Structures are given as structure tokens and as C-alpha cells.
Amino acid sequence: MNNYKLTIQYDGGRYKGWQRLGNTENTIQGKIEKVLTEMAGEEIEIIGSGRTDAGAHALAQIANFKMRKRMTEEEVMKYLNRYLPQDISVVNVELVQDRFHARYNAKDKTYSYKIWNKPFPNPFMRKYSMHVEEKLDQKKMKEAAKHFLGEHDFTSYSNAKGKKKSMVREIYSLDIKEKEGFIEIKIRGNGFLYNMVRKVVGTLIEVGLGEIEAASIPSILESKERIQTGRMAEAEGLYLEKVGF
């Protein structure tokens, strides 16, 4: 079997997320698998480094798949980009060792989140950022961000349904920068739970608006009660930026 590693970019605006779903073909994974199956002449399953939410985007999602047919990296890349929708692009293909696994081998992930922080909407970025009209206090947001660093149980900041798996994750960095009307939040960690990044960003927005105090975050984390967290940031502003191996 030949094992191929893909680097994928996509605009997730019109999709139901990365993960293939039984009740719809409108997922990133489903679209790619359909093209790969036609290319390979056999049923292909693609493994992603992680799942992105419906409406979220990726600058460098990593995935791998195996097939019996031997094709060059260039042939695979050309075929995929010819038949995939234009809002999904394969930017790199690499023939890798058989044991490479996009999800299990991933060591860290970096997500970025874009907030358009002006009193008027941005017509060109409305599908790729969250609009917050009121001026956000970045100093308070940066203070709040410090409380998320390190290893914590993030039960309060996830909508994950399974209770058997560990909810402990480690955040390596959480940076907040402003440029030309956008506030970009970049978060890097060893892994993320379902909706975790969007809920963390939602809390940072609440702090920036003066709705909650930064000092309340440790108690929210310790409570492990999802009801303690407030808003969840919109999916449109979220990007899977990098996966480390």
C-alpha cells in the first residue's frame, strides 16, 4: 500500500465541517474521499489531523490516505485539484512511510481567529471573520489569555460529548495582535477539544467588552461546568493554521 500525505487548504463556509457525516455529502472529508476513490479505483478513506467545525477554514490541514495504485506525488496533486471544488485546494502531496498517521502523529496544532473590530461591517471579510462592533480592550484580553496557558482540564470550554477521554490539554502560546482593524488571536497547543478554540475566543471577547473579569477564568476552568462559559465565537473567523509533527 502507498501512503500519501496531503496538505489541504479550504474555505469551509459552505460545508458541514471536516468530518464525513452519514446524512450529508457536504463535508470536506467527503468531497476529497469521493475524488480519491474515483482516482484510485477503490474505496478510499482519508485521515485528517483533526476535525474543523462547520463554517471554519484551514490554511494547512494535514491528512493521509493509502491506496494500492502507485502514482507520483505530482499526478495525485494534479488529479485532486482538477476534480475538487474550487474552495478546496491540495497544496502539497508527499509519499510517506507506511506508519505515518495524520492524527496520531500530530504533536501540536495552531489555530488563528480573526475579529473585525470596527463599528461598521467589512463586506469583503464577512465570511472570514467575526464582526464585533464595540471596541475591545486588548490589554484586558491579553491578561485573560495568560490564564489559559499551561495544562488544564478544558471541560468548561468544550462541547465534546464523550466523557471517557481526557479533557486535559496544554496551551503553549496564546497571542493577541491588532492590524488594520483586525484583532487576530493565535493559539497553539498539544490538542483541542470540540469547540474549544471558539469558546476560549468567546471568553476573551467577553473580557474585552467588560462583560466578565479576566480573574474569573481560573474558577471557570476549575468548575468543569460548561454552563459557566458564555458566548462561543462564530465559526467564520476560525482557521486551522498549522499542524506540527
Side-chain angles (χ1 to χ4, degrees), residues 116 120-128:
W116 175 246
F120 51 87
N122 186 325
F124 304 106
M125 288 293 289
R126 61 189 176 86
K127 296 180 181 180
Y128 307 104

Side-chain angles (χ1 to χ4, degrees), residues 116-123 130-134 180-181:
W116 175 246
N117 192 208
K118 292 286 186 180
F120 51 87
N122 186 325
M130 179 176 174
H131 182 203
V132 177
E133 296 181 22
E134 301 85 355
E180 299 176 350

Side-chain angles (χ1 to χ4, degrees), residues 119-212:
F120 51 87
N122 186 325
F124 304 106
M125 288 293 289
R126 61 189 176 86
K127 296 180 181 180
Y128 307 104
S129 62
M130 179 176 174
H131 182 203
V132 177
E133 296 181 22
E134 301 85 355
K135 185 67 176 175
L136 291 168
D137 188 325
Q138 292 179 63
K139 185 177 179 181
K140 289 182 178 179
M141 292 171 73
K142 288 175 182 178
E143 282 298 313
K146 295 176 183 177
H147 293 295
F148 290 111
L149 296 176
E151 191 173 84
H152 303 283
D153 185 315
F154 280 94
T155 299
S156 300
Y157 285 91
S158 171
N159 288 325
K161 296 179 180 179
K163 296 183 179 179
K164 292 183 180 180
K165 294 183 179 180
S166 172
M167 297 295 210
V168 176
R169 297 291 185 274
E170 184 174 0
I171 302 302
Y172 303 136
S173 62
L174 209 175
D175 300 313
I176 300 169
K177 295 180 181 178
E178 182 179 15
K179 185 178 181 181
E180 299 176 350
F182 287 98
I183 293 176
E184 183 179 61
I185 299 171
K186 190 170 292 190
I187 181 169
R188 176 175 168 262
N190 64 355
F192 296 92
L193 302 168
Y194 180 51
N195 289 155
M196 177 176 157
V197 176
R198 289 169 61 193
K199 296 197 85 172
V200 167
V201 171
T203 292
L204 293 175
I205 290 171
E206 289 179 325
V207 171
L209 292 173
E211 296 174 357
I212 65 171

Side-chain angles (χ1 to χ4, degrees), residues 90-119:
V90 177
V91 299
N92 191 59
V93 177
E94 184 181 352
L95 190 57
V96 292
Q97 294 181 341
D98 183 70
R99 64 176 179 271
F100 176 81
H101 193 287
R103 185 167 73 251
Y104 296 150
N105 293 153
K107 293 181 179 178
D108 62 79
K109 291 175 186 156
T110 302
Y111 282 89
S112 60
Y113 196 93
K114 292 185 186 298
I115 300 168
W116 175 246
N117 192 208
K118 292 286 186 180

Side-chain angles (χ1 to χ4, degrees), residues 64-79:
N64 75 287
F65 72 95
K66 295 182 179 182
M67 68 174 178
R68 294 183 180 87
K69 187 177 181 179
R70 180 80 174 196
M71 295 176 66
T72 67
E73 296 157 337
E74 291 76 16
E75 286 172 335
V76 172
M77 186 168 169
K78 186 175 181 179
Y79 190 98

